[in-house]
Amino acid sequence: MVPAHLATAITAVLVAAFWFALYRLMAGSERRLAWTALLTVPLSLVVNLWVKAPVYRAVASVAGVAPEAALAALPLWFLAFRLLLPPVTEEAVKVLPLLARTLRARLGDGRAALWLGMYLGLGFGIGEIGYLGWRLGEVPALAGYPVWMYYGFLTERLLATFGHGVMTAVTLTGARSGARGATAGYLAAVGLHALGNLGALLGKMGTIGPAATQATVIAAFLLLVLVFLRLHGRSARGRPAEQQVYFRRPQDPGPG
Amino acid sequence: MKIYRAAPSQGSIWIGAMALLMIGLAALGLVLPAGTWLGPAMALLFGFFALFSALLAAWLPGMRYELGQEDLTLRFGPFRWVIPLADIREVTRRDLVLNPISSVRGPGYALFRVPYADVGTVTMCATRSLQDIILITTGRRKYGITPLDAEGFLRELTGRLERT
């Protein structure tokens, strides 16, 4: 087995185990939505091979840009296109399962919308590990690398998989308030996704060094954690609690 | 005064495992090459956490709730929280929603001030962190407890509250 493929399998199992376990603790009764992660596992492969790659080649061909040219040599508008292509396509494809009416019906509840988004994004992230691992296995320069040298891949995918969930949750939370909300949520998710990818693009261009690139990845992750905490807190507080009341002191009516 | 023990849990095992991990990290600090500040600093820091974790593990089985005529006292090792019965506004029994922000909380234990996603910060003196928590709300704070005889405790507490 190619080391990259073994590392990919290990990464996929560890990332899935970690996030499913943590989500199980946080999602409460919405953990029943965990199965929806299966729906998005193949979608990374679909969007990368049959949407992003042909669109990228077509735009490059029409504009007369060599797609394999060094990043620093590409025109600015093409760099912007390159930055926005993954967020625009991936954030759209991750919510495709919502075409099913039974899943759309879940959006009526804020907490269900949040966890549906988290699980759909988790599935997509796990699928993306498979797709990226397959591509890594095809890079001749990596052929001699031992499995443990893919540790960075594991940590990066651990963060990215969580990020996919948060961004999908942002779209779905917006979708609760109709078509305009859905558009706003989708655009916010695209913006977050592009912001997350910006550091990596600047790093590849050589505009910023490796340390700064790492710092942008961590900063983007922390931003996504804050967004998640806000959505999580809001959805948890917004739902009436299932509780047994044993004692409640009557309110003091006050003077008069 | 009636004394109610907290429900048993495996929290001590988890905290004990944490203490062992900290001891290991502290030992690692001791074997670092001499002449740098990092080794002693690691040994001190992780040694402190190891001691703290070991004490928590030792105190957990003795956690109890003392229900008096005027107040309810939650006891955990040397810590105690006194709740005057007259201050209690509400007593409920419910599950709480995890807030991933770090705090002294894990499988089988929830201690001190723990943030929750649904009810905000709760002063926990409990052997469970999320499920089937008795939540006592006063004017200033919320307290979370897990007595072994939950039904008996609630019957006694509500009886006394209705008389105050």
Side-chain angles (χ1 to χ4, degrees), chain A residues 34-245:
Chain A
W35 68 271
T36 60
L38 291 173
L39 301 174
T40 45
V41 170
L43 295 183
S44 173
L45 186 74
V46 170
V47 77
N48 276 292
L49 290 185
W50 295 302
V51 181
K52 280 161 65 178
V55 168
Y56 186 78
R57 280 196 301 269
V59 171
S61 162
V62 168
V65 173
E68 306 307 327
L71 286 175
L74 294 172
L76 192 61
W77 72 266
F78 194 78
L79 284 173
F81 162 71
R82 190 188 158 107
L83 175 70
L84 288 173
L85 181 62
V88 167
T89 53
E90 290 177 12
E91 294 314 318
V93 83
K94 282 189 286 180
V95 295
L96 275 184
L98 269 290
L99 290 173
R101 192 184 297 169
T102 48
L103 285 184
R104 270 204 315 280
R106 304 273 187 173
L107 298 184
D109 180 276
R111 197 161 153 73
L114 167 69
W115 286 103
L116 183 56
M118 294 303 290
Y119 281 118
L120 290 176
L122 176 57
F124 184 87
I126 292 166
E128 193 174 55
I129 293 170
Y131 170 74
L132 293 175
W134 167 54
R135 298 299 302 269
L136 284 176
E138 292 186 329
V139 179
L142 298 178
Y145 280 30
V147 170
W148 63 266
M149 283 193 75
Y150 289 88
Y151 173 75
F153 180 62
L154 168 67
T155 52
E156 189 252 345
R157 285 297 103 197
L158 193 68
L159 307 188
T161 302
F162 173 76
H164 275 304
V166 177
M167 291 178 290
T168 312
V170 167
T171 304
L172 296 195
T173 304
R176 295 188 62 227
S177 37
R180 289 180 71 171
T183 309
Y186 169 71
L187 291 177
V190 167
L192 281 170
H193 196 147
L195 202 62
N197 287 359
L198 182 62
L201 182 67
L202 292 175
K204 277 185 193 164
M205 289 170 64
T207 311
I208 57 175
T213 305
Q214 285 290 337
T216 63
V217 170
I218 293 167
F221 177 71
L222 291 178
L223 174 66
L224 289 167
V225 169
L226 287 178
V227 171
F228 169 75
L229 289 176
R230 188 173 165 77
L231 292 177
H232 183 50
R234 210 166 54 183
S235 72
R237 283 190 297 272
R239 170 184 273 197
E242 290 169 14
Q243 63 180 11
Q244 291 169 267
V245 178

Side-chain angles (χ1 to χ4, degrees), chain A residues 22 25-28 31 111 228-229 232-234 236-237 239 241-251, chain B residues 85-95 97-101 117-118 130 151 154 158 161-162 164:
Chain A
L22 197 63
L25 277 176
M26 288 188 289
R31 69 180 66 153
R111 197 161 153 73
F228 169 75
L229 289 176
H232 183 50
R234 210 166 54 183
R237 283 190 297 272
R239 170 184 273 197
E242 290 169 14
Q243 63 180 11
Q244 291 169 267
V245 178
Y246 283 83
F247 174 79
R248 186 169 281 157
R249 201 177 291 283
Q251 292 290 315
Chain B
L85 297 187
D87 286 357
I88 294 177
R89 292 183 176 180
E90 190 179 74
V91 179
T92 58
R93 190 172 178 180
R94 56 178 289 170
D95 292 346
V97 179
L98 176 76
N99 182 333
I101 292 174
D118 51 352
L130 297 177
E151 289 299 335
L154 283 164
T158 50
L161 285 171
E162 276 153 14
T164 57

